[in-house]
Amino acid sequence: MAALSRAAMVLTMMGLAATLALSQPSLISMTTDVPLPDGLSYDFHALSCNNLQNMVRDAVQGAIARDAGVVPGLLRLFFHDCFPQGCDASILLTGGNSEQNMGQNVGLRRSVLDLIESIRATVHRACGPTVSCADITSLATKEAVMQSRLPGYDVPLGRRDSLTPATAQQVGILPGPDSNVQQLVRTFADRGFDKMDLVALSGAHTVGKASCGSFRSRAGENADFVRMLQQVCARNPRHLQDLDVATPNTFDNRYYNNLQVGRGVLNSDMALTLDGDTKNWVNNFAGNQGWFFSQFSTSMRKLAHLPGGNIGEIRNNCFRRNGNGDSVVLAAEVFEAFL
């Protein structure tokens, strides 16, 4: 009888645990198993450039030591490159139809663009033209995330560099500073991201700055905060406002605490509090920094796995296509050479 009683107690506790588990939100996005794009692998350069990770790590570490703005700069560059048509380094191309000239990409950090090209030059000197600017951008961004004390994540490698910039229509899907929550949810869903991903990736605004034009139409219930933003820009229209007004140089979860009290700088930031689901994630991440860090890396992994970057070349300069006299090495050819 005693054994039966103990067994019944164990079953009861198991049932209670299952009930509690079902009533709690998942600690990470349910869509973590993202497919590896065709032709890519996580160890693509293991044989052709086995010191690649170290070269990228050293370069990013040195750049961050000189300028903390490298972290938000890399995050913005990576998101704006990958979100429209996959991670293909199309955003790095210069010229009349460059994505850098489009309104969504105004203010890309020059030092970050130059950092990617500098890493490419270092890698190509060591390994030859075997690693694309797209792969270098992915690895550099991952390194910036990890050096901000967040978990690492898998990065698909073997992408080629786009031969042309993305079109204005493609770049136009990037969310803007005045996007409302319905627009944000729909735009992210169209690219395979759920509401948790939306809120987690928005947490990149825990670092970085915004120009006055980005929040000129800022409205909200915190009238004192909105008035402060207006006054600062009235005094200096070229002012760059910290997106996280609490801890602007630290990658943490204070961004979400700011949203809870109406101190988000952009209308699109505050929009996250106007939908029941996204507001719940704001509150969850505000109360648990480890949860935010884990989900941010999970969502960055999904971003890195977006399809694209399978057609093109390995550029000998990240800012322009290879010329007729350049050595054009396709990523697939590099991979096959080491089979």
Side-chain angles (χ1 to χ4, degrees), residues 10-23:
V10 170
L11 290 172
T12 300
M13 294 301 294
M14 289 174 62
L16 177 60
T19 300
L20 289 172
L22 289 172
S23 65

Side-chain angles (χ1 to χ4, degrees), residues 6 12 25 43 55 99 168 207 222 229 249 251 258 283 327:
R6 287 194 296 271
T12 300
D43 59 352
M55 287 186 280
E99 295 171 45
V207 288
N222 190 331
L229 293 176
N249 297 317
F251 204 110
N258 295 336
N283 293 335
S327 173

Side-chain angles (χ1 to χ4, degrees), residues 2-264:
L4 289 174
S5 297
R6 287 194 296 271
M9 183 178 295
V10 170
L11 290 172
T12 300
M13 294 301 294
M14 289 174 62
L16 177 60
T19 300
L20 289 172
L22 289 172
S23 65
Q24 297 296 319
S26 172
L27 289 178
I28 58 174
S29 172
M30 296 301 293
T31 52
T32 56
D33 293 330
V34 290
L36 189 65
D38 291 343
L40 307 185
S41 67
Y42 302 124
D43 59 352
F44 191 93
H45 302 291
L47 295 177
S48 60
C49 194
N50 60 11
N51 199 36
L52 174 61
Q53 301 274 0
N54 290 332
M55 287 186 280
V56 174
R57 180 179 303 112
D58 291 346
V60 173
Q61 187 173 31
I64 293 174
R66 294 187 297 272
D67 176 13
V70 166
V71 174
L74 277 170
L75 289 170
R76 184 174 185 229
L77 178 70
F78 186 64
F79 182 82
H80 283 224
D81 182 47
C82 296
F83 200 80
Q85 63 172 11
C87 310
D88 60 0
S90 61
I91 198 170
L92 298 176
L93 288 169
T94 56
N97 60 343
S98 171
E99 295 171 45
Q100 297 176 36
N101 299 331
M102 301 180 190
Q104 294 85 348
N105 295 320
V106 169
L108 288 174
R109 203 174 189 89
R110 183 71 245 176
S111 63
V112 168
L113 298 171
D114 291 339
L115 172 63
I116 299 301
E117 168 58 16
S118 174
I119 297 173
R120 180 215 57 80
T122 298
V123 170
H124 284 197
R125 280 195 299 270
C127 304
T130 61
V131 184
S132 67
C133 300
D135 280 355
I136 289 170
T137 304
S138 293
L139 288 169
T141 305
K142 171 187 173 182
E143 194 59 44
V145 170
M146 294 176 64
Q147 291 189 24
S148 299
R149 301 178 297 112
L150 276 71
Y153 52 91
D154 294 325
V155 172
L157 299 174
R159 292 189 189 271
R160 305 177 192 181
D161 296 322
S162 174
L163 300 177
T164 59
T167 65
Q169 181 178 6
Q170 290 170 314
V171 174
I173 72 170
L174 285 166
D178 291 321
S179 297
N180 61 44
V181 69
Q182 291 82 13
Q183 292 169 329
L184 291 170
V185 170
R186 182 172 61 251
T187 298
F188 273 73
D190 288 345
R191 297 298 281 140
F193 297 95
D194 58 28
K195 290 182 178 181
M196 195 194 312
D197 295 315
L198 163 61
V199 178
L201 290 173
S202 296
H205 289 176
T206 189
V207 288
K209 300 177 183 290
S211 65
C212 288
S214 300
F215 52 89
R216 184 176 293 117
S217 60
R218 172 73 166 85
E221 68 287 346
N222 190 331
D224 291 340
F225 182 72
V226 173
R227 189 178 306 112
M228 181 276 291
L229 293 176
Q230 293 171 342
Q231 291 172 348
V232 167
C233 288
R235 291 193 298 269
N236 179 13
R238 301 183 66 180
H239 170 70
L240 294 177
Q241 174 63 45
D242 292 320
L243 288 167
D244 179 349
V245 296
T247 53
N249 297 317
T250 303
F251 204 110
D252 56 20
N253 65 336
R254 292 296 298 276
Y255 163 79
Y256 300 106
N257 299 131
N258 295 336
L259 299 189
Q260 289 176 316
V261 294
R263 291 169 64 85

